[in-house]
Amino acid sequence: MEKHDFVNIQDLDKEGIMYLIQMAQEFEQHPNRELLKGKVIATLFYEPSTRTRLSFETAANRLGAKVIGFTDAKASSVSKGETLKDTILMVGNYADAIVMRHHIEGAAQYASEVAPVPIINAGDGAHQHPSQCLLDLYTIYQTQGTLENLNIYLVGDLKYGRTVHSLLMAMRHFNPTFHFISPVELEMPEEYKIYCRNHNIKYVEHHDFTPEIIADADILYMTRVQRERFTDLMEYERVKNVYILHNNMLGLAKENMRILHPLPRVNEIAYDVDTNPHAYYIEQARNGLFAREAIFSYCLGISLDDIKADKTIID
Ligand code: NCD
């Protein structure tokens, strides 16, 4: 079987994205199956995680695979000085696929070049988060009925937030208009603005976060200020609470607008928003399960037709 890594979201073309979304739809209908029976999935988390790791592990378990791995690199041989290359080669001896989160940008790419088994990038530094991106795309498609021609507002830490970087690149196939709302210190990095210009992605930048500015949004994508990426914690203190979404800011919103957030939230969405019909971040996190079942299938050579013809469904 050809090795299918899942490392950079921009490696997927439009058909590839829609194919994975269709797979996720099948899994939403029937999440419990034995498609991965006999397989072993490794989850190597060099950085903290709740949703990403637990939904990957749930996806593996619900498809009948077994899971090995670590959640704290200090408890592995990394603390004895083992290199990433050696760890990946070792785990590649044991597992059929490796899910990896690492603080170094490009770590997953490197791992995919040395690993004998598929590598799934669960976040590499401030760079990419392709599995989050697939669940974000799935959620946008689910709520808007299309990915085409949408106004997507990205709010908060656009400098270090890897989820917005992946979403921006994936949306290039769908003629979006992006609005970047951030403090000056956390603006979308130049390399991503160049990416937009090279791919004819329209974008507008703002520093104010007001009901009038977000009135035209189809998707309001809030993000956490990424404290762990700051070299100067004084700067973090200055920007950490600049934008807080409150319920009383949503009066002008389009009827079908949905608020997304990759979570965890720190302060950026007030609790009074949770019961507003525009709030969709908890459902979004639930979609992580179906998106990650689709990613395992893609990486392990299971096709959409195989999923449709699957007789191992457990209701
Ligand atoms: C995101 C991440 O790890 O980049 N979380 C997640 O995977 N759902 C966003 C964040 O940590 O702010």
Coordinates of all heavy atoms in Angstrom, one line a residue, residues 234-271:
M234 N 5.8 39.5 29.2 CA 5.2 40.9 29.4 C 4.3 41.2 28.2 O 3.2 41.8 28.3 CB 6.3 42.0 29.5 CG 7.1 41.9 30.8 SD 6.1 42.2 32.2 CE 6.0 44.0 32.1
E235 N 4.8 40.8 27.0 CA 4.0 41.1 25.8 C 2.7 40.3 25.9 O 1.6 40.8 25.5 CB 4.8 40.8 24.6 CG 3.9 41.0 23.3 CD 4.8 41.2 22.1 OE1 5.6 42.2 22.1 OE2 4.7 40.4 21.1
Y236 N 2.8 39.0 26.3 CA 1.6 38.2 26.5 C 0.6 38.9 27.4 O -0.6 39.0 27.1 CB 1.9 36.8 27.0 CG 0.7 36.0 27.4 CD1 -0.1 35.5 26.4 CD2 0.4 35.9 28.8 CE1 -1.3 34.8 26.8 CE2 -0.8 35.2 29.1 CZ -1.6 34.7 28.1 OH -2.7 34.0 28.5
E237 N 1.1 39.4 28.5 CA 0.2 40.1 29.5 C -0.5 41.3 28.8 O -1.7 41.6 29.1 CB 1.0 40.6 30.7 CG 1.5 39.5 31.6 CD 0.3 38.6 32.2 OE1 -0.7 39.2 32.5 OE2 0.5 37.4 32.2
R238 N 0.2 42.0 27.9 CA -0.4 43.2 27.3 C -1.6 42.8 26.3 O -2.5 43.5 26.2 CB 0.7 43.9 26.5 CG 1.4 45.0 27.3 CD 2.1 46.0 26.3 NE 3.1 45.3 25.4 CZ 4.3 45.0 25.7 NH1 4.8 45.2 26.9 NH2 5.1 44.4 24.8
V239 N -1.4 41.7 25.6 CA -2.4 41.3 24.6 C -3.4 40.3 25.0 O -4.4 40.0 24.2 CB -1.7 40.9 23.3 CG1 -0.9 42.0 22.7 CG2 -0.8 39.7 23.5
K240 N -3.2 39.6 26.1 CA -4.0 38.4 26.4 C -5.5 38.6 26.4 O -6.2 37.7 26.0 CB -3.5 37.7 27.7 CG -3.9 38.5 28.9 CD -3.4 37.7 30.2 CE -3.8 38.5 31.4 NZ -3.3 37.9 32.6
N241 N -6.0 39.7 26.8 CA -7.5 39.9 26.9 C -8.0 41.0 25.9 O -9.0 41.6 26.2 CB -7.9 40.3 28.3 CG -7.8 39.1 29.2 OD1 -8.0 37.9 28.8 ND2 -7.5 39.3 30.5
V242 N -7.3 41.2 24.8 CA -7.7 42.3 23.9 C -9.1 42.1 23.3 O -9.9 43.1 23.2 CB -6.8 42.6 22.8 CG1 -5.6 43.3 23.2 CG2 -6.5 41.5 21.9
Y243 N -9.4 40.9 23.0 CA -10.8 40.7 22.3 C -11.5 39.6 23.1 O -11.1 38.5 23.3 CB -10.6 40.2 20.9 CG -9.8 41.0 20.0 CD1 -8.9 40.5 19.2 CD2 -10.0 42.4 20.0 CE1 -8.2 41.3 18.3 CE2 -9.3 43.2 19.1 CZ -8.4 42.6 18.3 OH -7.6 43.4 17.4
I244 N -12.7 40.1 23.6 CA -13.6 39.1 24.3 C -14.9 39.2 23.7 O -15.5 40.3 23.6 CB -13.6 39.4 25.8 CG1 -12.2 39.3 26.4 CG2 -14.6 38.4 26.5 CD1 -12.1 39.6 27.9
L245 N -15.4 38.1 23.2 CA -16.7 38.1 22.5 C -17.8 37.9 23.6 O -17.8 37.0 24.4 CB -16.8 36.9 21.5 CG -18.1 36.8 20.8 CD1 -18.4 38.0 19.9 CD2 -18.2 35.5 20.0
H246 N -18.7 38.9 23.7 CA -19.8 38.9 24.6 C -21.1 38.7 23.8 O -21.2 39.1 22.7 CB -19.9 40.2 25.4 CG -18.8 40.3 26.4 ND1 -18.7 39.7 27.6 CD2 -17.6 41.1 26.3 CE1 -17.6 40.0 28.2 NE2 -16.9 40.8 27.4
N247 N -22.1 38.2 24.5 CA -23.4 37.9 23.9 C -24.0 39.2 23.3 O -24.6 39.2 22.2 CB -24.4 37.4 25.0 CG -25.5 36.6 24.4 OD1 -25.4 36.1 23.3 ND2 -26.7 36.7 25.0
N248 N -23.8 40.3 24.0 CA -24.4 41.6 23.5 C -23.7 42.1 22.2 O -24.1 43.2 21.7 CB -24.5 42.6 24.6 CG -23.1 43.0 25.1 OD1 -22.1 42.7 24.4 ND2 -23.1 43.7 26.2
M249 N -22.7 41.4 21.7 CA -22.1 41.9 20.5 C -22.6 41.2 19.3 O -22.2 41.4 18.1 CB -20.6 41.6 20.5 CG -19.8 42.4 21.6 SD -18.1 41.8 21.8 CE -17.4 42.2 20.2
L250 N -23.6 40.3 19.5 CA -24.1 39.4 18.4 C -25.4 39.9 17.7 O -25.9 39.2 16.8 CB -24.2 38.0 18.8 CG -22.8 37.4 19.2 CD1 -23.0 36.1 20.0 CD2 -22.0 37.2 18.0
G251 N -25.9 41.1 18.1 CA -27.2 41.6 17.6 C -27.2 41.8 16.1 O -28.3 41.6 15.5
L252 N -26.1 42.1 15.5 CA -26.2 42.4 14.0 C -25.8 41.2 13.2 O -25.7 41.3 12.0 CB -25.2 43.6 13.7 CG -25.4 44.9 14.4 CD1 -24.4 45.9 14.1 CD2 -26.8 45.4 14.0
A253 N -25.5 40.1 13.9 CA -25.0 38.9 13.1 C -26.0 38.3 12.1 O -27.2 38.4 12.4 CB -24.6 37.8 14.1
K254 N -25.4 37.8 11.0 CA -26.3 37.1 10.1 C -26.9 35.9 10.7 O -26.3 35.3 11.6 CB -25.4 36.5 8.9 CG -25.0 37.5 7.9 CD -24.3 36.7 6.8 CE -23.8 37.5 5.6 NZ -23.1 36.7 4.7
E255 N -28.1 35.6 10.3 CA -28.9 34.5 11.0 C -28.1 33.2 11.1 O -28.1 32.5 12.1 CB -30.2 34.3 10.2 CG -31.2 33.6 11.1 CD -32.5 33.3 10.3 OE1 -32.8 34.1 9.4 OE2 -33.2 32.3 10.7
N256 N -27.5 32.8 10.0 CA -26.8 31.5 9.9 C -25.3 31.6 10.3 O -24.6 30.6 10.2 CB -26.9 30.9 8.5 CG -26.7 29.4 8.5 OD1 -27.0 28.8 9.5 ND2 -26.1 28.9 7.5
M257 N -24.9 32.7 10.9 CA -23.5 32.9 11.3 C -23.3 31.9 12.5 O -24.1 31.7 13.3 CB -23.2 34.3 11.8 CG -21.8 34.5 12.1 SD -21.3 34.1 13.8 CE -21.7 35.6 14.7
R258 N -22.1 31.2 12.4 CA -21.7 30.3 13.5 C -20.4 30.7 14.1 O -19.4 31.1 13.4 CB -21.6 28.9 13.0 CG -23.0 28.3 12.7 CD -23.9 28.1 13.9 NE -25.2 27.6 13.6 CZ -26.2 28.3 13.3 NH1 -26.1 29.7 13.3 NH2 -27.4 27.8 13.1
I259 N -20.3 30.6 15.4 CA -19.0 30.9 16.1 C -18.3 29.6 16.3 O -18.8 28.7 17.0 CB -19.4 31.6 17.5 CG1 -20.2 32.8 17.3 CG2 -18.1 31.9 18.2 CD1 -20.9 33.2 18.6
L260 N -17.1 29.6 15.9 CA -16.2 28.4 16.1 C -15.0 28.8 16.9 O -14.7 30.0 17.0 CB -15.7 27.9 14.7 CG -16.8 27.5 13.7 CD1 -16.1 26.8 12.5 CD2 -17.9 26.6 14.3
H261 N -14.4 27.8 17.5 CA -13.2 28.0 18.3 C -12.5 26.6 18.4 O -13.2 25.7 18.8 CB -13.6 28.6 19.7 CG -12.4 29.0 20.5 ND1 -11.3 28.3 20.7 CD2 -12.2 30.2 21.2 CE1 -10.4 29.0 21.5 NE2 -10.9 30.1 21.8
P262 N -11.2 26.5 18.2 CA -10.6 25.2 18.3 C -10.6 24.7 19.7 O -10.4 23.5 19.9 CB -9.2 25.4 17.7 CG -8.9 26.8 17.8 CD -10.3 27.5 17.7
L263 N -10.7 25.6 20.7 CA -10.6 25.3 22.1 C -9.2 24.8 22.4 O -8.5 24.3 21.6 CB -11.7 24.3 22.5 CG -13.1 24.7 22.2 CD1 -14.1 23.6 22.6 CD2 -13.5 26.0 22.9
P264 N -8.7 25.0 23.6 CA -9.4 25.5 24.8 C -9.6 27.0 24.7 O -8.7 27.7 24.1 CB -8.4 25.2 25.9 CG -7.1 25.2 25.3 CD -7.3 24.7 23.9
R265 N -10.7 27.5 25.3 CA -10.8 29.0 25.4 C -10.2 29.4 26.7 O -10.3 28.6 27.7 CB -12.3 29.4 25.3 CG -13.1 29.1 26.5 CD -14.5 29.7 26.4 NE -15.5 28.7 26.8 CZ -16.8 28.9 26.9 NH1 -17.3 30.0 26.5 NH2 -17.6 27.9 27.3
V266 N -9.7 30.6 26.8 CA -9.2 31.1 28.0 C -10.2 32.2 28.5 O -10.9 32.0 29.4 CB -7.7 31.6 27.9 CG1 -7.2 32.1 29.2 CG2 -6.8 30.5 27.4
N267 N -10.2 33.3 27.7 CA -11.1 34.3 28.1 C -11.8 34.9 26.9 O -12.7 35.8 27.1 CB -10.2 35.5 28.7 CG -10.5 35.7 30.1 OD1 -11.5 35.3 30.6 ND2 -9.6 36.4 30.8
E268 N -11.5 34.4 25.7 CA -12.0 35.1 24.5 C -13.4 35.0 24.2 O -13.9 35.7 23.4 CB -11.0 34.9 23.4 CG -10.8 33.4 23.0 CD -9.9 32.7 24.0 OE1 -9.1 33.3 24.7 OE2 -9.9 31.4 24.0
I269 N -14.1 34.0 24.7 CA -15.6 33.9 24.5 C -16.2 33.9 25.9 O -16.0 32.9 26.7 CB -16.0 32.6 23.8 CG1 -15.3 32.6 22.4 CG2 -17.5 32.6 23.6 CD1 -15.7 31.3 21.6
A270 N -17.0 34.9 26.2 CA -17.7 34.9 27.5 C -18.7 33.8 27.6 O -19.2 33.4 26.6 CB -18.3 36.3 27.7
Y271 N -18.9 33.3 28.8 CA -19.8 32.2 29.0 C -21.2 32.5 28.6 O -22.0 31.6 28.3 CB -19.8 31.7 30.5 CG -18.6 30.8 30.7 CD1 -17.4 31.3 31.2 CD2 -18.6 29.5 30.3 CE1 -16.3 30.5 31.3 CE2 -17.5 28.6 30.4 CZ -16.3 29.1 30.9 OH -15.2 28.3 31.0

